[in-house]
Amino acid sequence: MVQEEMRRGPWTEEEDLKLVYFVNMFGDRRWDFIAKVSGLNRTGKSCRLRWVNYLHPDLKRGKLTSQEEHLVMELHSKWGNRWSRIARKLPGRTDNEIKNFWRTFMRKKKALEKKRASPSSSSSSSSLSSINHAVDSHASKEVGEESFYDTGGYGHDDVMGLISAGEEFSLDDIWKDIVLSEDNNNNIQQEPLYELQSQEGCNFSSPPAMIYSPSSWEYNSSHPLWVMDEEESNKMLFPATSDQYYYSCYEQGNAFLTG
DNA sequence: AAAGAGCGCAACCGCATACTC
DNA sequence: GGAGTATGCGGTTGCGCTCTT
């Protein structure tokens, strides 16, 4: 059978709208089915990913808060790279997001480590050196090429040891250490890498998904589908100019179901 | 102002597991 | 119980934006 070439790459706004519409209609389970009936010409996998990582109404946007970052560190020390598991403890955050955060963190750490490796700097009592130890004690198990990822966590004892009462510094200190180090190197600190901010204080970017702001959906997280008046949902999702187009999508979906 | 480097994030890939028939 | 299919997860890549020189 000749398989039609699937679309790949970044999603367009129109595709997003379509996907949201069909997920709203059929739920966020049957991805292959949704991929087919929507006519998106994407794989079910791709649709799921887009939904989970970007379009889901419960998603938070913007940087992780300090609390969230702490939690990630803590949970990673327990569970290692079990990103989805960690993500479940951070409502509104995706495994992808956490993975990216961790990668960035490790990258910074490596960079800092490199700088510190220069002979002039050896403040062994710094909190960073301690977390380095914690991280390295595990990461060093890996052989050969260094990876951004620590594949098994710091080791609970390592990091929790740092956090525990026995030590005189917290993860805050560790972060401060990184920030300070950056400060020293850059002189100009445009904005603290890591500042306390309220959950609502997130720096929202404005992706297309915000067009259908989650707050405007009566989303009930305990329910697989958004609860929404059909007429209302049509109005919100599809501007008058494209009504006909999306109704045809609707028809298409129904036709597929009813055969 | 232009070029290059670095960073952040979205998306893809391959494998594992769960589910359905 | 086994095969086929769908879904979930972790790792990796590539692109675009921002910052630096």
Side-chain angles (χ1 to χ4, degrees):
Chain A
M1 192 165 107
V2 182
Q3 190 114 8
E4 199 184 345
E5 192 74 13
M6 287 292 174
R7 242 187 79 73
R8 294 176 56 180
W11 284 65
T12 65
E13 204 171 316
E14 191 184 320
E15 286 179 309
D16 281 346
L17 283 167
K18 255 188 175 181
L19 182 57
V20 168
Y21 180 77
F22 279 95
V23 171
N24 189 26
M25 192 148 65
F26 299 116
D28 58 354
R29 280 278 145 186
R30 309 280 312 279
W31 292 111
D32 267 16
F33 172 78
I34 286 173
K36 276 184 193 122
V37 299
S38 65
L40 277 166
N41 200 26
R42 298 263 186 181
T43 64
K45 233 175 168 178
S46 178
C47 292
R48 176 189 161 269
L49 209 65
R50 182 62 178 171
W51 174 257
V52 167
N53 285 332
Y54 196 79
L55 296 173
H56 196 288
D58 271 356
L59 289 182
K60 284 182 195 167
R61 304 256 166 212
K63 263 176 78 85
L64 268 69
T65 64
S66 58
Q67 293 91 338
E68 288 172 326
E69 288 177 352
H70 279 226
L71 196 53
V72 171
M73 306 279 285
E74 201 176 320
L75 295 177
H76 188 272
S77 74
K78 283 186 198 166
W79 298 331
N81 296 3
R82 305 290 305 279
W83 306 119
S84 62
R85 192 170 175 186
I86 293 172
R88 273 182 233 125
K89 297 288 178 190
L90 287 100
R93 300 296 184 183
T94 67
D95 55 348
N96 217 23
E97 217 173 346
I98 290 165
K99 211 157 57 178
N100 283 332
F101 159 74
W102 190 257
R103 181 190 157 136
T104 302
F105 174 73
M106 291 308 284
R107 196 190 265 168
K108 279 179 188 291
K109 183 198 153 281
K110 287 283 175 197
L112 194 55
E113 200 175 81
K114 227 175 177 179
K115 281 175 204 157
R116 295 256 162 129
S118 61
S120 57
S121 57
S122 58
S123 54
S124 61
S125 65
S126 86
S127 50
L128 184 77
S129 64
S130 299
I131 195 163
N132 279 346
H133 169 72
V135 173
D136 291 343
S137 68
H138 188 89
S140 61
K141 287 170 196 158
E142 288 182 13
V143 189
E145 188 102 353
E146 71 182 39
S147 166
F148 280 123
Y149 297 109
D150 166 28
T151 54
Y154 291 159
H156 185 258
D157 293 345
D158 290 333
V159 165
M160 296 321 284
L162 296 180
I163 301 168
S164 72
E167 299 288 343
E168 40 191 10
F169 43 78
S170 65
L171 282 169
D172 271 332
D173 299 321
I174 293 160
W175 273 104
K176 273 182 209 153
D177 205 47
I178 293 175
V179 173
L180 275 177
S181 161
E182 287 189 344
D183 242 353
N184 291 339
N185 282 289
N186 300 337
N187 268 335
I188 303 160
Q189 182 75 21
Q190 293 187 321
E191 161 180 298
L193 166 72
Y194 190 70
E195 64 179 2
L196 285 169
Q197 52 184 331
S198 70
Q199 298 268 25
E200 287 71 30
C202 296
N203 181 21
F204 288 98
S205 56
S206 47
M210 297 309 283
I211 295 166
Y212 16 91
S213 153
S215 62
S216 62
W217 294 77
E218 285 179 43
Y219 182 74
N220 179 349
S221 58
S222 66
H223 192 280
L225 290 176
W226 297 323
V227 180
M228 211 176 181
D229 173 66
E230 191 184 337
E231 195 187 349
E232 185 70 15
S233 100
N234 284 334
K235 256 190 273 174
M236 202 167 295
L237 277 175
F238 316 125
T241 51
S242 55
D243 271 0
Q244 210 153 7
Y245 170 73
Y246 287 102
Y247 274 118
S248 78
C249 293
Y250 178 84
E251 294 293 324
Q252 214 178 320
N254 276 342
F256 200 92
L257 274 181
T258 54

